[in-house]
Amino acid sequence: MKILLIGAGNMGGAMLAGLGEYDVTVVESWEPRRRELARLYSNIRLLDSIPPLDGYVVLLAIKPQSLDALKTEGEAQALISILAGTPLAKLREKIAAKAYIRAMPNIAALKRKAVTSVTGDASFKEEALRILSSIGKAIWLESEKQLDIATGIGGSAPAWMALVAEALADGAVNLGLPRAVSYEYVAALMDGMGALLEEEHPALLKDKVMSPGGTTAAGYAALEKGRVRDSFIEAMAACYRRSVELGK
């Protein structure tokens, strides 16, 4: 399979790192970035402009505001777009392809641990999931509405988790723990909880840790006073509303 990656910035570059089994051509207009990619990858073809799309599976990783100016020729085997807030209908208007896929990875793609929301034409579902699994876990959704909802938990929540991590570290520093040690704890905590949550319901994990009258229960009560759960639920709703607005 021939893949044409259009745009090799942070997310496109992260995807490139996981595509070693494919025949990959990269379109990158910025010359310094092309030179960097040439040093990093000896097995890819680098172009400064978009070739005819015929025969390619196109991975579109440009900035959403650049889509209107994009000029293409030919018809791709499939288009996989990671453009935020860009619905399938608009992609169909701009680029000719036999199948259309919309995907929303997150920043953990830089470590090949992304969770990527995927929807679009079922005819290309399995191959799209295989390609996008190269940067982590890919989850198929049944509609663009579901993808807009998942944008919060998959695409935006890493920023919220970073806020939680920073707040936990700040709390530890406030009590006297060195900052470097605090961040080391938080990073290990996030990694370990991810592994546990793949196997057990979060409520059950919480109950295992929180013993009656203990330290965890005291901290949990403080979080409830601060309406932390409600704030996260509201953050998800706000993110969904904004995702819908961007798609109009």
Side-chain angles (χ1 to χ4, degrees):
M1 177 178 294
K2 294 167 57 180
I3 290 181
L4 181 67
L5 174 63
I6 303 177
N10 284 340
M11 197 62 70
M15 297 180 73
L16 182 58
L19 296 173
E21 67 179 277
Y22 296 98
D23 177 358
V24 180
T25 298
V26 179
V27 178
E28 174 54 57
S29 60
W30 194 41
E31 185 179 353
R33 179 58 170 160
R34 287 203 308 276
R35 291 198 301 266
E36 180 183 14
L37 292 172
R39 289 194 301 269
L40 292 172
Y41 303 100
S42 60
N43 60 337
I44 63 172
R45 180 187 179 203
L46 287 162
L47 302 175
D48 61 0
S49 61
I50 301 173
L53 304 183
D54 305 273
Y56 285 108
V57 171
V58 175
L59 290 181
L60 190 61
I62 60 176
K63 295 184 182 301
Q65 58 267 31
S66 300
L67 179 61
D68 287 337
L70 197 69
K71 305 295 183 185
T72 62
E73 297 179 359
E75 183 182 41
Q77 290 295 316
L79 172 68
I80 301 175
S81 167
I82 64 169
L83 275 60
T86 306
L88 291 167
K90 185 169 184 178
L91 295 170
R92 290 190 175 99
E93 290 175 359
K94 292 296 298 181
I95 300 172
K98 295 176 181 176
Y100 293 84
I101 298 291
R102 185 178 165 197
M104 180 57 61
N106 64 23
I107 197 170
L110 295 171
K111 297 293 184 181
R112 296 178 70 178
K113 289 190 175 183
V115 56
T116 303
S117 304
V118 190
T119 194
D121 292 329
S123 61
F124 201 70
K125 171 182 174 180
E126 296 306 321
E127 193 57 52
L129 290 174
R130 191 161 77 91
I131 292 170
L132 293 164
S133 292
S134 66
I135 55 169
K137 187 178 185 67
I139 299 175
W140 182 263
L141 301 171
E142 296 303 323
S143 68
E144 288 191 273
K145 178 179 179 179
Q146 288 187 359
L147 187 139
D148 285 332
I149 295 170
T151 294
I153 197 166
S156 298
W160 311 338
M161 296 305 293
L163 177 67
V164 171
E166 185 182 36
L168 288 171
D170 285 347
V173 170
N174 180 56
L175 294 169
L177 200 65
R179 183 164 294 280
V181 174
S182 299
Y183 283 139
E184 187 176 1
Y185 268 106
V186 169
L189 167 69
M190 296 286 188
D191 187 52
M193 284 303 297
L196 289 170
L197 287 167
E198 288 185 344
E199 300 177 356
E200 193 156 16
H201 192 284
L204 297 178
L205 284 174
K206 180 259 295 179
D207 287 351
K208 284 182 177 180
V209 177
M210 191 164 65
S211 56
T215 57
T216 304
Y220 197 89
L223 291 171
E224 289 287 12
K225 286 180 182 178
R227 299 181 63 187
V228 171
R229 286 162 54 91
D230 181 65
S231 293
F232 277 117
I233 291 169
E234 286 300 315
M236 281 292 301
C239 187
Y240 170 68
R241 289 193 297 269
R242 184 57 176 157
S243 182
V244 172
E245 288 171 2
L246 289 173
K248 290 181 178 179

